[in-house]
Amino acid sequence: MKAENLTGPICVHAEAPVWSTSWGGVRWVDGDAADLVTLRDDGIHRLHLDDTYAAFVRPRVGGGFVALGARSLHLSDSPDGPARVAATFDLGDARFNDGTVDPHGRLLAGSMALGDAGAAGRMLRIGGDLDTTTVLSSVTVSNGVAFAPGGSRAYYVDTVTQRVDVFDVVEGELRGRRGFVTIPEEQGSPDGLTVAADGSVWVALWGGSAVRGYAPDGSLIARIDLPVPQVSACTFGGDDLGTLFITTSAQGLGADHGTEAGSLFAVQPGVSGVPVAAFAG
């Protein structure tokens, strides 16, 4: 399958796409710019966070959005901002990276180690009242996390492990972590991911110029090739949730890289996604 370039290279580090009717299209982050970028029928819109980084964004149950910055949680009552800092977190030698909202409306906010800090990252669960629990510790680069339809399983990537892991979800808790698929290093490293309504898992490959689709049993069912090396994340969207939107990054490539890196791509892979969960805060 071949993906279509929707935007051209408008970002340095496009990451963490999410579709929501609350803001009328697909929204993603331009990480180092600390911007939220939205593509809808009337064009491309940018909203800057008062932060040094933008990690990911999700809709709120009552409207507006929640966004994670480097170490802060931003809330907005409107889909297009402005946003205010509602909480800050002591992450030590780490910053927030990717994350999601679980079926109970709680944020799962992963972080990644900075510099040579090693496994200094973790995953926090943040409730609607901003109470916080550490779900995972000793993480190096926390990336994709998503729930299977029905919420009985959760898939997770710590990129340096070269694996997509799977958990059972028991009474809202992640249990029984085990390997789902392993990506050989020469094929890229797993980054962001999403899960379709049929239970298939779609994984962006950083350094691998591709998104791969896997059946619930871990068998490879699809490969989407991209004309850029650093494929960062993917999500289903569109009116029928049948379009897979894919973010790509030019991070570290230099101004003269001469590629389409930093663009948003899209493809229709023949399966559909599920509506995104909203934050209860």
Side-chain angles (χ1 to χ4, degrees):
M1 283 182 279
K2 184 178 180 180
E4 174 189 4
N5 192 329
L6 298 182
T7 64
I10 62 170
C11 297
V12 174
H13 183 48
E15 174 72 284
V18 60
W19 173 275
S20 177
T21 56
S22 67
W23 48 64
V26 61
R27 176 171 285 179
W28 64 100
V29 301
D30 191 354
D32 294 320
D35 285 350
L36 309 182
V37 187
T38 308
L39 174 64
R40 50 191 179 219
D41 290 343
D42 61 347
I44 295 168
H45 302 262
R46 279 186 180 259
L47 173 65
H48 183 69
L49 297 179
D50 185 15
D51 212 306
T52 59
Y53 192 81
F56 70 98
V57 60
R58 286 293 186 275
R60 298 172 67 192
V61 168
F65 63 83
V66 57
L68 274 294
R71 294 179 178 86
S72 297
L73 182 149
H74 302 253
L75 291 176
S76 176
D77 300 322
S78 164
D80 293 315
R84 62 190 181 277
V85 174
T88 58
F89 301 85
D90 181 4
L91 300 180
D93 294 324
R95 64 154 171 81
F96 284 121
N97 201 40
D98 207 347
T100 194
V101 174
D102 75 6
H104 299 273
R106 304 170 298 187
L107 282 168
L108 292 180
S111 57
M112 63 173 285
L114 297 174
D116 298 324
R122 49 191 167 136
M123 181 183 288
L124 301 180
R125 185 172 63 215
I126 305 171
D129 57 0
L130 304 185
D131 63 306
T132 304
T133 303
T134 297
V135 176
L136 296 174
S137 57
S138 300
V139 171
T140 303
V141 183
S142 188
N143 261 310
V145 55
F147 288 80
S152 63
R153 304 176 92 189
Y155 297 90
Y156 175 68
V157 168
D158 180 352
T159 293
V160 299
T161 68
Q162 291 293 136
R163 295 193 316 268
V164 179
D165 288 343
V166 61
F167 294 84
D168 297 317
V169 183
V170 181
E171 297 181 347
E173 302 292 333
L174 304 185
R175 300 287 186 239
R177 181 177 181 175
R178 56 203 182 272
F180 174 64
V181 296
T182 298
I183 309 297
E185 290 187 13
E186 66 271 15
Q187 297 176 16
S189 298
D191 201 322
L193 59 79
T194 191
V195 182
D198 66 353
S200 57
V201 182
W202 298 76
V203 184
L205 297 185
W206 183 272
S209 302
V211 171
R212 287 186 178 179
Y214 296 92
D217 65 1
S219 59
L220 181 66
I221 57 173
R223 179 183 174 101
I224 301 163
D225 294 316
L226 281 296
V228 298
Q230 296 174 167
V231 184
S232 55
C234 54
T235 194
F236 285 97
D239 293 340
D240 61 356
L241 297 177
T243 299
L244 188 69
F245 293 97
I246 304 165
T247 50
T248 64
S249 175
Q251 191 177 62
L253 296 184
D256 59 349
H257 60 84
T259 76
E260 299 174 63
S263 301
L264 179 76
F265 292 81
V267 66
Q268 293 184 317
V271 296
S272 299
V274 295
V276 62
F279 178 50

